[in-house]
Amino acid sequence: MKLGLTFPLPKELIREFAAKVDKLFVIEELDPFMEEQILAMGIAVEGKNKLPVIGELDLNIVREALLGDSPDDMKFSVKEPIPARPPSLCPGCSHRGVFYALKKLKLTVTGDIGCYTLGALPPLEAMDTCLCMGASVGFSEGMEKTEGEELQGKVVGVIGDSTFFHSGITGLIDIFYNQSNAKLIILDNQITAMTGHQEHPGSGLNLRREPTNRVDIEKLVRAIGIERIVKINPYDLKETIDTIKEEMQVDGPSVMIADAPCVIRERKVFTKPYYVIADKCTKCGMCDKVGCSAIEKDEDGKTKINPLLCIGCDICRQVCRFDAIIRPADN
Amino acid sequence: MSRAVLSGNEAIARGFYEAGGKFAAAYPGTPSTEILENIGKYQEIKAQWSPNEKVALEVAAGASLGGVRALAAMKHVGLNVAADPLFSLSYMGVNGGLVIISADDPAMHSSQNEQDNRWYAKAAKIPMLEPSDSQEAKDFTVLALELSEKFDTPVLLRTTTRINHSKSIVELKRFSPMLRS
């Protein structure tokens, strides 16, 4: 039997069904929610002694668990090896420059939920915590308040604009109210990017993409009482690194706003695709550290740039020490 | 009667429309996001993004108190944020039918954890329906609103990623003005 109403359970239906069968199994994903309640009804039932309590179920998992076999014709497999495609920030993403800077500065970064959580993954690896929506703010304050020397002036929270509206504001009020020195970077790409570009209170459009009132993040932060608010252009690595470094030294809280719209949302193309002068490339690997999927290797292991992916954000050119990466002249 | 191939999320939106739903709010979160995006296509319904799920549930509950059929949609972790109003709404009850969608994400395709939100129904003592395809997603949305009004309680419609995002055939009905029990 298949149940549509799962709370409260239709106990009489279950009793009638159980009386008709020799053995009763409960097949449910995740926790033994129905199983425990049916056991509590005094009905012998099996389920999670055989089936996993994590992950999804499919035909093969259930068949193997309950019947101990799984015919080959039920296995869906692909013979050809499929290349791994790890998640990464999009080519030209405005978050890349900030995470490159945070890694360079060796800061402890409390992160949050959004596209920018990808900053935790190699090669950027510039996010140390990710708990729940808004936790970057409270975490940075709590860590800073431990007053351990290794954390002083070295902890910074990173939160997106939509997540800031969702549950970052109260944390920032706490930073101000409880006289914390915590530092916060708001990655303001002006949209809820992760879930597919939904509007939010700071985007100026409503759900139907009609014009509406817009909450100004900078004014909101200022209204809380935070006095140090600086804007960052995340496409200028030197400026980004210098600004974060300077703000980390100040006494009292600081909010840095990396102000750059989502390039996918805007369908933004900065320039024609960049290219590499192979003779100048020493295969040093610096450009790999920005974690851009437009950066590829030729047969000799030298960098080449995929012209279909590159939108000319300039980050890779700024890290190349040998001037091998070229911005197209005819823009 | 016409038919269409709909995702579970499209079907929930359609069900809310066919049941004469008037107000819907959500904060985006995979796999629930497309529910409100699709509800937004029906001009008869006021549909809006809230800054978070707690606010979304509160404004939807306010619309229910005001007497219209209302919906709040969120992903599983969103219901944690909205848990505070949820538990007391269970005592307060509804005027217009109120359905709360919890889109769970087994295997964590797009989430930081894998919590099983069926426990919320038991803990908050509210009825829960679980569709197994898009037709049921639509039918159960309508049924949830009817149960909500009949028993004076919010109703949880709990889905999983596969239900939200898989497409199957759904029979469509016309928009019907809200019937009050």
Side-chain angles (χ1 to χ4, degrees):
Chain A
M1 79 189 295
K2 179 176 84 69
L3 295 178
L5 176 74
T6 51
F7 189 81
L9 284 178
K11 290 187 176 173
E12 283 313 305
L13 281 179
I14 292 170
R15 277 189 209 286
E16 283 170 25
F17 181 74
K20 288 185 208 157
V21 297
D22 296 330
K23 200 171 179 78
L24 190 63
F25 293 101
V26 174
I27 300 165
E28 56 187 328
E29 271 175 348
L30 303 182
D31 295 340
F33 177 77
M34 293 190 283
E35 183 180 341
E36 286 181 1
Q37 293 181 71
I38 295 169
L39 275 173
M41 287 163 61
I43 296 172
V45 65
E46 289 192 58
K48 292 301 175 187
N49 58 335
K50 296 179 185 295
L51 290 159
V53 291
I54 58 168
E56 298 179 298
L57 299 180
D58 63 24
L59 287 176
N60 284 325
I61 292 169
V62 173
R63 188 170 171 121
E64 267 182 32
L66 300 190
L67 303 178
D69 73 332
S70 181
D72 284 343
D73 61 0
M74 283 185 66
K75 285 186 177 146
F76 305 102
S77 64
V78 179
K79 299 246 164 45
E80 292 297 317
I82 298 170
R85 204 171 64 118
S88 66
L89 296 171
C90 303
C93 175
S94 56
H95 303 327
R96 180 171 283 106
V98 172
F99 286 108
Y100 184 84
L102 291 171
K103 186 172 192 186
K104 191 102 181 157
L105 293 168
K106 297 189 171 67
L107 296 172
T108 296
V109 179
T110 60
D112 228 300
I113 310 270
C115 288
Y116 49 95
T117 313
L118 294 169
L121 299 177
L124 293 164
E125 294 177 295
M127 184 176 289
D128 299 287
T129 71
C130 177
L131 182 76
C132 64
M133 296 282 283
S136 61
V137 192
F139 266 18
S140 67
E141 181 189 345
M143 280 193 169
E144 188 272 333
K145 287 221 164 162
T146 59
E147 296 178 350
E149 267 183 32
E150 70 275 19
L151 292 175
Q152 286 303 292
K154 288 175 185 156
V155 184
V156 61
V158 171
I159 189 168
D161 45 341
S162 191
T163 308
F164 179 69
F165 288 121
H166 181 284
S167 37
I169 298 169
T170 42
L172 190 60
I173 289 173
D174 201 68
I175 284 174
F176 179 71
Y177 170 57
N178 287 308
Q179 296 178 291
S180 163
N181 285 317
K183 313 293 187 273
L184 183 67
I185 298 173
I186 300 174
L187 300 168
D188 184 8
N189 63 1
Q190 296 152 28
I191 201 77
T192 316
M194 185 72 168
T195 46
H197 299 124
Q198 286 73 33
E199 306 299 335
H200 65 53
S203 71
L205 299 174
N206 66 15
L207 180 137
R208 292 196 171 100
R209 306 224 151 91
E210 300 150 345
T212 185
N213 297 326
R214 178 179 160 271
V215 179
D216 184 314
I217 291 181
E218 185 180 346
K219 283 184 185 164
L220 176 62
V221 172
R222 203 172 294 286
I224 286 171
I226 308 279
E227 283 169 10
R228 273 198 88 92
I229 304 168
V230 295
K231 291 275 178 106
I232 293 174
N233 171 11
Y235 292 106
D236 185 330
L237 282 183
K238 186 176 182 308
E239 183 200 305
T240 301
I241 292 169
D242 289 350
T243 306
I244 298 173
K245 200 172 174 181
E246 192 182 330
E247 292 307 302
M248 294 307 293
Q249 306 305 318
V250 304
D251 201 25
S254 166
V255 171
M256 294 159 260
I257 302 173
D259 200 1
C262 171
V263 293
I264 303 295
R265 166 71 165 162
E266 301 265 305
R267 299 185 181 273
K268 194 169 177 75
V269 176
F270 295 93
T271 67
K272 287 183 179 174
Y274 281 39
Y275 59 93
V276 175
I277 299 176
D279 287 348
K280 288 191 175 181
C281 178
T282 65
K283 309 185 204 175
C284 73
M286 275 305 286
C287 54
D288 296 333
K289 293 186 179 175
V290 303
C292 177
S293 53
I295 292 176
E296 300 175 349
K297 300 294 165 197
D298 67 14
E299 307 80 54
D300 300 327
K302 293 189 173 189
T303 293
K304 63 171 182 175
I305 293 176
N306 186 329
L308 297 176
L309 294 176
C310 176
I311 61 168
C313 78
D314 201 55
I315 297 284
C316 61
R317 189 194 62 79
Q318 293 173 48
V319 301
C320 179
R321 294 163 180 168
F322 302 98
D323 297 328
I325 298 176
I326 305 298
R327 184 203 322 251
D330 56 339
N331 279 290
Chain B
M1 188 180 290
S2 61
R3 300 202 292 177
V5 178
L6 300 182
S7 70
N9 285 343
E10 290 167 333
I12 290 168
R14 179 74 194 188
F16 189 62
Y17 164 77
E18 289 181 7
K22 284 289 177 202
F23 183 90
Y27 180 79
T30 313
S32 72
T33 311
E34 301 85 2
I35 296 169
L36 254 281
E37 288 182 322
N38 281 288
I39 287 178
K41 293 173 184 169
Y42 300 108
Q43 294 301 323
E44 295 86 348
I45 305 171
K46 283 199 171 72
Q48 59 191 52
W49 296 123
S50 296
N52 67 31
E53 295 85 353
K54 178 178 185 289
V55 176
L57 179 51
E58 287 158 353
V59 291
S64 158
L65 290 183
V68 301
R69 286 187 163 174
L71 175 150
M74 55 205 72
K75 67 183 292 174
H76 61 329
V77 285
L79 195 51
N80 299 340
V81 179
D84 201 354
L86 172 74
F87 278 73
S88 301
L89 275 172
S90 167
Y91 300 164
M92 185 185 287
V94 304
N95 285 332
L98 175 62
V99 57
I100 302 160
I101 320 284
S102 169
D104 289 15
D105 190 18
M108 304 173 7
H109 295 283
S110 317
S111 307
Q112 72 267 38
N113 77 349
E114 200 185 34
Q115 68 186 44
D116 188 334
N117 272 12
R118 293 179 299 171
W119 298 109
Y120 269 116
K122 196 164 188 256
K125 299 176 180 65
I126 62 172
M128 169 171 59
L129 298 170
E130 292 191 79
S132 61
D133 63 13
S134 295
Q135 181 69 55
E136 283 191 355
K138 195 195 81 161
D139 293 345
F140 285 9
T141 303
V142 179
L143 180 61
L145 291 163
E146 290 167 357
L147 291 173
S148 172
E149 286 164 6
K150 184 169 182 185
F151 295 100
D152 191 15
T153 174
V155 173
L156 192 67
L157 185 78
R158 187 258 191 178
T159 60
T160 59
T161 303
R162 300 288 173 183
I163 302 302
N164 296 105
H165 287 169
S166 308
K167 296 205 171 196
S168 57
I169 295 170
V170 179
E171 293 195 341
L172 305 180
K173 290 182 187 163
R174 285 187 179 182
F175 170 78
S176 58
M178 190 183 92
L179 298 170
R180 292 288 296 278
S181 54

